[in-house]
Amino acid sequence: MTKEIIKKVMITEKGTRMAVNNQYFLEVAKDATKPQIAEAAEKKFGVHVLAVRTANMKGGLKYIRGTRLAKTEPTWKRAIVTVKAGERIEQV
């Protein structure tokens, strides 16, 4: 059984602005390394990855309609992948 490295392509306002510069946001597995992310993106989307930047996004409390604590959000990892000019990552 192989673990899925790339969970989803993130569509955000910032990500849309960065797509002009061939950079895309991906939600990835928490223990994935940069070389693993690059290899997985090349296989899944058929692009040439030039650079990978990662950030661990801290989870925490989510407040809903004035309640003190509705639920806790999990910690997750985001990768910003730069691809070769002229190539695109489409949401799959």
Side-chain angles (χ1 to χ4, degrees):
M1 180 178 141
T2 60
K3 188 180 83 166
E4 188 173 355
I5 301 289
I6 298 174
K7 294 183 179 179
K8 67 179 180 179
V9 178
M10 298 175 56
I11 306 298
T12 62
E13 289 182 30
K14 184 176 182 178
T16 304
R17 288 193 313 264
M18 293 179 73
V20 174
N21 298 325
N22 300 318
Q23 296 179 334
Y24 299 92
F25 285 163
L26 305 175
E27 183 177 340
V28 297
K30 288 197 308 187
D31 58 347
T33 62
K34 290 180 182 183
Q36 290 173 338
I37 295 168
E39 182 181 350
E42 287 176 353
K43 284 182 182 177
K44 186 170 185 175
F45 303 113
V47 296
H48 296 91
V49 175
L50 302 178
V52 177
R53 296 183 295 160
T54 60
N56 289 310
M57 308 303 286
K58 185 176 182 289
L61 304 179
K62 183 173 183 179
Y63 298 96
I64 299 176
R65 296 184 189 166
T67 59
R68 171 90 172 105
L69 169 63
K71 67 177 192 176
T72 57
E73 293 290 314
T75 301
W76 54 284
K77 189 171 190 176
R78 174 178 76 184
I80 302 171
V81 177
T82 305
V83 299
K84 191 175 177 180
E87 297 180 342
R88 295 180 49 138
I89 291 180
E90 300 294 333
Q91 184 175 5
V92 176

